[in-house]
Amino acid sequence: MKIWGLCFIGFGNVGQGLARILVREEEKLYHKWGFKFKTLAVVGRTKGACMNPEGISLQALLNRLDRGESIGTDFISPLEAVRLSGVDIVIDVTPTNLTTGEPGLSITRAALNEGKHVISSNKGPVSLAFHELQKLASDKRCEYRFEGTVMSGTPAINLALESMAGCEFYEIQGIVNGTTNYILTRMEEGLEYDVALKEAQDLGYAETNPEGDVDGWDAAVKAQIIANVIMRNTIPLSKVTRKGIAGLSRKNIQAAKSKGAKIKLLAHIQRTSDGVLASVAPVELPLSHPLAGVDGATNAITYNTNNIKNVTIIGPGAGREETGQALLSDMLSIVAHEQVLF
Ligand code: HSE
């Protein structure tokens, strides 16, 4: 049986979330899914790096981090790690940079060029270079998968692309940012904005730079990913109309509440005669609206299609192990595809 060589680039919240699942489920993954793996390299952003051709114990790494120690002191750069012989799947869990896509973009290009699969929760490379990376993966006969970029482990992308294959998508509406939905829910419950934001950060929902969440960038890039990947478009992020929640006060939220409504940060992607339009803005929804009851860090997306009309998926939109699960599902899809081929 093949032993899949893994390499983690980045080992923050999401990387550790995946590592925890892999440690906990290792036996089951082997027996139920035929997935056996060996971690060959882990390169952190700020906490050192380690490599071992015999395999690294993820549990030992997690223990080191819990004790406040570094991952290791091996001198290995992300690009060297990606190119190590024996690495089959590169796990890009570097932080999102929407301007340059780096370091994830260079890592992804290098890995795909080597014919290595890439699974990623990093929205930057998908936003800036989805079509290029997809073509590169196809040319090199490997896969580039990024389920975790939208709605964390809730299968928003693969549901649309794989389970709903053949459907035409007319309109997609969603609550796609866990941090802002969490903040809005907690403010409805009476908390101040700063306290609610701090809670969202402590729970691991917020981006490294939380302005990305509250100013609507994170929801906007997800709207762009949905437009380009699911509706097969080519709109740049700059074409997504964007308004965040930073201007909202507890008073606005309470006023909506007293009218029997809720304010939600809504992403809206629509196919029109002028092409695909995408926007993100706080919208007052009546309680009867299907997305009004989606609270906390939970996300939801409604797909409006030709063949099956409306399909709504609701589930976690952020979190360490929740996003780790998205990476795991991408990894198991790659394993399953290879098992079918050989
Ligand atoms: N910061 C994001 C959110 C994490 O709150 O939804 C998942 O992309």
Side-chain angles (χ1 to χ4, degrees):
M1 168 172 291
K2 173 167 176 149
I3 300 179
W4 291 78
L6 308 183
C7 155
F8 283 73
I9 308 295
F11 206 63
N13 278 330
V14 174
Q16 290 172 43
L18 173 61
R20 282 186 201 285
I21 299 178
L22 289 175
V23 167
R24 200 174 58 227
E25 308 287 335
E26 187 165 357
E27 278 295 300
K28 208 189 300 166
L29 289 170
Y30 174 51
H31 291 296
K32 281 187 79 172
W33 301 90
F35 177 54
K36 214 170 168 44
F37 64 91
K38 191 155 84 166
T39 306
L40 300 175
V42 178
V43 183
R45 188 167 59 102
T46 53
K47 295 209 163 85
C50 63
M51 58 178 283
N52 186 344
E54 304 305 319
I56 295 162
S57 158
L58 290 173
Q59 182 62 67
L61 283 196
L62 293 167
N63 293 344
R64 294 180 70 121
L65 291 173
D66 284 347
R67 290 194 301 266
E69 298 169 11
S70 76
I71 293 168
T73 52
D74 290 331
F75 290 105
I76 180 162
S77 72
L79 291 179
E80 285 165 341
V82 159
R83 293 183 178 124
L84 280 177
S85 112
V87 168
D88 301 295
I89 301 181
V90 172
I91 302 159
D92 170 24
V93 278
T94 54
T96 293
N97 179 321
L98 297 180
T99 312
T100 65
E102 297 300 351
L105 184 51
S106 298
I107 290 160
T108 305
R109 279 193 185 118
L112 295 176
N113 262 313
E114 297 274 314
K116 297 181 177 183
H117 303 291
V118 176
I119 58 174
S120 179
S121 58
N122 185 337
K123 295 166 280 253
V126 190
S127 170
L128 290 161
F130 163 63
H131 294 285
E132 173 210 322
L133 296 172
Q134 202 62 24
K135 177 165 185 320
L136 182 56
S138 152
D139 289 349
K140 296 287 178 178
R141 302 251 181 281
C142 54
E143 295 193 47
Y144 175 45
R145 300 182 70 98
F146 42 82
E147 177 59 66
T149 57
V150 178
M151 276 180 89
S152 71
T154 309
I157 293 181
N158 294 332
L159 173 80
L161 290 183
E162 293 170 6
S163 305
M164 294 170 75
C167 277
E168 194 171 333
F169 293 85
Y170 296 139
E171 185 180 12
I172 302 175
Q173 281 192 82
I175 294 172
V176 291
N177 181 265
T179 302
T180 47
N181 207 43
Y182 184 87
I183 293 173
L184 292 172
T185 304
R186 296 295 277 147
M187 285 172 79
E188 257 166 45
E189 291 165 0
L191 246 64
E192 290 296 344
Y193 173 86
D194 289 347
V195 180
L197 171 60
K198 172 78 173 51
E199 280 188 2
Q201 285 175 304
D202 290 346
L203 288 163
Y205 303 146
E207 296 296 296
T208 311
N209 173 1
E211 276 87 58
D213 295 296
V214 298
D215 293 340
W217 285 107
D218 180 73
V221 73
K222 288 169 179 164
Q224 183 210 8
I225 291 172
I226 290 168
N228 290 348
V229 175
I230 298 175
M231 285 195 174
R232 301 185 187 280
N233 229 268
T234 51
I235 58 169
L237 181 57
S238 57
K239 287 274 184 263
V240 181
T241 314
R242 176 187 54 84
K243 189 170 173 201
I245 65 161
L248 289 176
S249 66
R250 207 172 55 170
K251 224 164 119 194
N252 299 133
I253 289 160
Q254 296 295 337
K257 192 176 172 182
S258 63
K259 277 195 275 176
K262 286 196 182 200
I263 297 180
K264 295 291 184 190
L265 188 68
L266 210 67
H268 187 201
I269 304 101
Q270 191 169 20
R271 198 178 289 289
T272 72
S273 51
D274 295 330
V276 170
L277 301 181
S279 65
V280 168
V283 173
E284 203 172 276
L285 298 179
L287 290 185
S288 57
H289 191 284
L291 298 180
V294 176
D295 286 333
T298 303
N299 282 191
I301 292 190
T302 300
Y303 297 103
N304 175 251
T305 72
N306 57 345
N307 294 338
I308 46 173
K309 308 292 180 292
N310 289 328
V311 171
T312 298
I313 183 165
I314 302 178
R320 300 178 177 99
E321 289 202 14
E322 289 82 350
T323 313
Q325 163 57 32
L327 293 159
L328 178 64
S329 75
D330 280 341
M331 203 144 50
L332 293 179
S333 294
I334 291 169
V335 171
H337 293 164
E338 195 154 309
Q339 283 167 348
V340 169
L341 285 175
F342 300 103

